[in-house]
Amino acid sequence: MTARNQLDQETSPYLLQHADNPVHWWRWSDEAFNVAKEQNKPVLLSIGYAACHWCHVMAHESFEDQAIADLMNEKFVSIKVDREERPDLDHLYQAALAAMGQQGGWPLTMFLTPDREPFWGGTYFPPEERFGRPGFTQVLTQVSDIYHRQPEKVENNVTALIEALEQQTFSVRGDTGIEPAVMDRMAERIARDIDPVHGGIGSAPKFPHFSILELLWRSWLRTGDETYYHAVTFTLDGMCEGGIYDHLGGGFARYATDEEWLVPHFEKMLYDNAQAIELLTQVFLGSANVLYQQRLHETVDWVLREMTVEHGGLTAFAATLDADTEGEEGKFYIWSEAEIDSLLDDKAPVFKAAYDVTGLGNWDGVNILNRRRGVPPADAKGEKILAECRDILFRARADRVPPARDGKVLADWNGMMIAALARAGFVFERKDWLDAARSAFDFVVANVARDGEMRHSWCANAAGEGITRGHATLDDFAQMARAALILYQYQGDASLLTQAQRWVDILNQHFWDSENSGYFMVSDKAGDVFVRARHAVDQATPSGNGVMVRVLAMLFYITGDQAYMEKMEALTRTFSGEIQRNFFPLATFINSVDYIQAARQVVIMGGREAAESAGLIDAMRRHPSPNILLNVVEDRHALGGGNPAQNGVVGGKSLIDDQATAYVCEGMACQPPVNTPGDLAGILAQGLKMPSPPSADD
């Protein structure tokens, strides 16, 4: 085959960004590695994603430079991978970089043998030496020389890295549960790391760490210790009022580059906003803080306005919005004082005071809108003026060149947003949100998981045809199964429950580690990875094994099938000992264990319409516990039609006085039935230690 850039036939926006590079890029394929073997060349693997700022920088500086491209083409077979299409590859080679003692990130630059084995790597390299980093030209020359002249050094590196990666598949086993007292000690330890000035964990850069915040919130609900309440709300206040939040269009950026949430890394990710919506919903239920309700609604509005992908009459969610516009990071979002004055006229002074706008700017001579540093108006009239100002600026901003959008539909990220929208739609009585969640679920089933074979990514090509890419990962199945079960709670469609069971069956058949227990990240059909990772560590998204603990628990509680309980207990034993080494990255796993220990299933007989009329659904809607599982059944006689729930606690339940009737069950044991909202609320409140939110003066 004539050497050329092979990326012009791809659908990934990230890969297409590099289709015109003078580098002879290959996509990840057997063919590329076969060429490397035939030509006895090392492989240069470059992994990034469309919204990545430093990926753009390295592309402009190096991959678009003819001299550097010539060097790459001469000495390497160069492969470009979208980390969002192949998270399994990204995780594997990021882990290899960490095993070298280096900080991970994107762009990831790894050097491999033709057998896919890593022997050296890094992240961003400037074209010439600077920032304390070696120049890319120097790196290319030295790596090629070492590969050909010192093969024993390459072999030693490969052996050491493979041993380190294989070691990561082992886990410290423990008991089936983690005692609440142990969780409380974890929360106490985490709370000490909360920034007392700005909120959040650590200093700059500052990430939201949603799963860790959920762990703290669960500890407050469990113990009533106000330390945890304030740690979460103080952090959320900082995020909701800081520059990391888009005050005009809604939605949170990926992280803040500073310690006070002012300067975002401007890219917006679907997974961050899904986690934000879900956490804000939960914390609102326990705090009644209208700020969280407002930010949640604005963020959902942004998702439904700017992040939807339509195909075949269904709508799902796109992956990311870029950090850069017109080659400049954040250009779409920043403002000068002169622009504000011109657009807002006599309303400008009150807006500038509230949103920290000055002539000198608050970041590199320009202004990032935020309310952390601003002076709030004194009354409701002032807030109304601010809302009018935001609308004016939002409409003016629409005339700017917008950030590029990556329109890939990723199964796991969509699963996260489906679950978040369904939960928020139920709590806030927004049928349109629930409908959007269901449409996205049906989209994934029809397009990404079509013909029963789940894939990871779907994207439309130039002709509008949908193309799937990437092996389905543990996270894809886990997040979509969880989404199905959450939708099932609020829609009662038995097909959702059946679909969740089918996906879990696939995981058990093709992902389960039969020797050590736990799920591998990729299936036994994935032939293009040299190590199958297995862990419970949260990355930017929640751990698949952590999510599966909760999925298996939900399936057991709904169906009563003991096999789910046995698998859940085995999974919990597999990773619970890891908390002795480092519990910080295990927050999703720990939260799922808390769910197991405190879960209550509310079975309502008589159907959804009757349950709504009787006020039983409303009694559930605003209950602050994250451990409630709702199961509304038309009537016990309807269960024989193949509903997988027929073998759970539903069996034997009946109506009281032919009215909708609720049963609160823990495990397979249920309390006496009730059919008034007050009685149901009273049972749910028993023994849950649900404290009232601390007052502002506390």
Side-chain angles (χ1 to χ4, degrees), residues 439-548:
S439 180
F441 182 88
D442 292 341
F443 184 109
V444 173
V445 171
N447 296 294
V448 190
R450 60 191 177 200
D451 302 322
E453 184 68 27
M454 176 86 86
R455 301 283 284 180
H456 172 67
S457 170
W458 177 99
C459 194
N461 63 15
E465 302 165 327
I467 307 296
T468 57
R469 299 288 193 204
H471 306 296
T473 67
L474 164 61
D475 291 3
D476 294 320
F477 286 105
Q479 292 290 2
M480 284 303 299
R482 178 173 180 260
L485 293 174
I486 289 177
L487 275 171
Y488 170 75
Q489 292 183 72
Y490 307 137
Q491 294 189 329
D493 183 347
S495 69
L496 293 162
L497 187 53
T498 301
Q499 183 62 73
Q501 291 183 298
R502 288 173 181 159
W503 284 330
V504 172
D505 287 344
I506 293 172
L507 284 178
N508 291 340
Q509 183 177 357
H510 295 291
F511 288 73
W512 187 256
D513 183 348
S514 58
E515 293 184 8
N516 302 296
S517 297
Y519 295 101
F520 288 110
M521 187 174 180
V522 297
S523 81
D524 52 15
K525 297 180 180 180
D528 59 353
V529 293
F530 62 91
V531 173
R532 293 173 71 199
R534 182 185 65 91
H535 63 84
V537 173
D538 292 337
Q539 308 290 332
T541 55
S543 146
N545 274 299
V547 173
M548 279 306 299

Side-chain angles (χ1 to χ4, degrees), residues 163-183:
E163 288 178 355
L165 292 172
E166 289 177 339
Q167 187 64 34
Q168 292 181 18
T169 68
F170 295 100
S171 55
V172 179
R173 298 176 67 82
D175 298 329
T176 56
I178 302 171
E179 292 298 320
V182 175
M183 296 185 193

Side-chain angles (χ1 to χ4, degrees), residues 488 603-608 631-639 643 645 650 655:
Y488 170 75
V603 176
I604 303 180
M605 308 297 296
R608 193 163 300 271
N631 190 5
V632 181
V633 181
E634 289 298 326
D635 64 69
R636 68 183 187 279
H637 303 295
L639 293 175
N643 190 325
V650 172
L655 306 180

Side-chain angles (χ1 to χ4, degrees), residues 673-690:
V674 296
N675 57 10
T676 69
D679 288 342
L680 177 56
I683 292 175
L684 291 175
Q686 291 175 8
L688 291 181
K689 294 184 179 178
M690 292 296 181

Side-chain angles (χ1 to χ4, degrees), residues 626-678:
N627 299 319
I628 299 296
L629 178 62
L630 176 62
N631 190 5
V632 181
V633 181
E634 289 298 326
D635 64 69
R636 68 183 187 279
H637 303 295
L639 293 175
N643 190 325
Q646 61 186 315
N647 297 320
V649 297
V650 172
K653 299 293 183 291
S654 60
L655 306 180
I656 298 176
D657 299 329
D658 290 326
Q659 298 178 14
T661 303
Y663 295 78
V664 179
C665 309
E666 297 184 40
M668 294 293 107
C670 302
Q671 297 199 37
V674 296
N675 57 10
T676 69

Side-chain angles (χ1 to χ4, degrees), residues 337-514:
E337 184 183 41
E339 288 176 299
I340 300 292
D341 288 337
S342 174
L343 288 164
L344 299 184
D345 198 18
D346 61 338
K347 297 177 182 176
V350 66
F351 184 86
K352 291 191 296 183
Y355 283 91
D356 187 32
V357 175
T358 67
L360 295 177
N362 54 27
W363 178 63
D364 286 352
V366 293
N367 294 281
I368 298 172
L369 302 182
N370 76 97
R371 297 196 65 170
R372 282 183 57 79
R373 295 178 170 185
V375 179
D379 52 25
K381 180 180 178 181
E383 287 293 343
K384 184 175 183 295
I385 292 173
L386 293 182
E388 294 169 354
C389 292
R390 290 195 302 271
D391 183 60
I392 292 169
L393 296 179
F394 175 74
R395 286 186 279 113
R397 194 176 75 173
D399 293 332
R400 297 177 176 180
V401 176
R405 189 183 77 160
D406 187 325
K408 290 194 307 295
V409 174
L410 305 176
D412 54 344
W413 295 9
N414 267 261
M416 294 171 67
M417 184 57 75
I418 291 164
L421 274 181
R423 174 68 172 151
F426 173 73
V427 168
F428 294 102
E429 300 183 70
R430 290 292 300 264
K431 184 179 181 297
D432 55 331
W433 296 359
L434 270 167
D435 290 344
R438 183 58 189 263
S439 180
F441 182 88
D442 292 341
F443 184 109
V444 173
V445 171
N447 296 294
V448 190
R450 60 191 177 200
D451 302 322
E453 184 68 27
M454 176 86 86
R455 301 283 284 180
H456 172 67
S457 170
W458 177 99
C459 194
N461 63 15
E465 302 165 327
I467 307 296
T468 57
R469 299 288 193 204
H471 306 296
T473 67
L474 164 61
D475 291 3
D476 294 320
F477 286 105
Q479 292 290 2
M480 284 303 299
R482 178 173 180 260
L485 293 174
I486 289 177
L487 275 171
Y488 170 75
Q489 292 183 72
Y490 307 137
Q491 294 189 329
D493 183 347
S495 69
L496 293 162
L497 187 53
T498 301
Q499 183 62 73
Q501 291 183 298
R502 288 173 181 159
W503 284 330
V504 172
D505 287 344
I506 293 172
L507 284 178
N508 291 340
Q509 183 177 357
H510 295 291
F511 288 73
W512 187 256
D513 183 348
S514 58

Side-chain angles (χ1 to χ4, degrees), residues 107-282:
L108 177 64
T109 307
M110 293 295 293
F111 296 95
L112 319 179
T113 71
D115 292 320
R116 297 176 167 84
E117 300 162 333
F119 63 89
W120 196 75
T123 53
Y124 162 78
F125 291 103
E128 304 297 336
E129 182 178 359
R130 65 174 184 265
F131 310 134
R133 296 173 180 266
F136 193 45
T137 302
Q138 174 189 2
V139 167
L140 294 172
T141 302
Q142 290 183 351
V143 169
S144 178
D145 287 348
I146 290 172
Y147 179 81
H148 291 290
R149 297 178 184 179
Q150 301 180 55
E152 71 286 348
K153 187 172 183 179
V154 172
E155 184 176 348
N156 289 340
N157 278 14
V158 166
T159 300
L161 288 173
I162 290 178
E163 288 178 355
L165 292 172
E166 289 177 339
Q167 187 64 34
Q168 292 181 18
T169 68
F170 295 100
S171 55
V172 179
R173 298 176 67 82
D175 298 329
T176 56
I178 302 171
E179 292 298 320
V182 175
M183 296 185 193
D184 295 340
R185 289 199 294 272
M186 296 176 190
E188 182 182 356
R189 173 64 184 83
I190 293 170
R192 294 203 298 268
D193 283 344
I194 295 292
D195 182 341
V197 179
H198 306 293
I201 296 174
S203 56
K206 187 166 282 183
F207 289 82
H209 294 299
F210 294 108
S211 294
I212 291 178
L213 293 176
E214 181 189 343
L215 188 154
L216 289 172
W217 189 251
R218 285 174 171 271
S219 294
W220 172 66
L221 293 171
R222 188 172 55 247
T223 67
D225 189 329
E226 294 179 6
T227 301
Y228 309 137
Y229 178 95
H230 286 298
V232 175
T233 56
F234 186 52
T235 297
L236 286 180
D237 288 348
M239 291 174 56
C240 288
E241 299 286 47
I244 191 174
Y245 182 75
D246 179 0
H247 290 265
L248 300 184
F252 292 86
R254 181 165 165 247
Y255 65 88
T257 62
D258 64 327
E259 64 182 359
E260 59 176 303
W261 305 111
L262 172 64
V263 184
H265 187 38
F266 288 91
E267 65 194 27
K268 290 183 184 178
M269 321 296 285
L270 186 69
Y271 63 78
D272 280 323
N273 286 281
Q275 293 176 91
I277 291 168
E278 193 154 0
L279 183 65
L280 287 169
T281 301
Q282 190 57 55

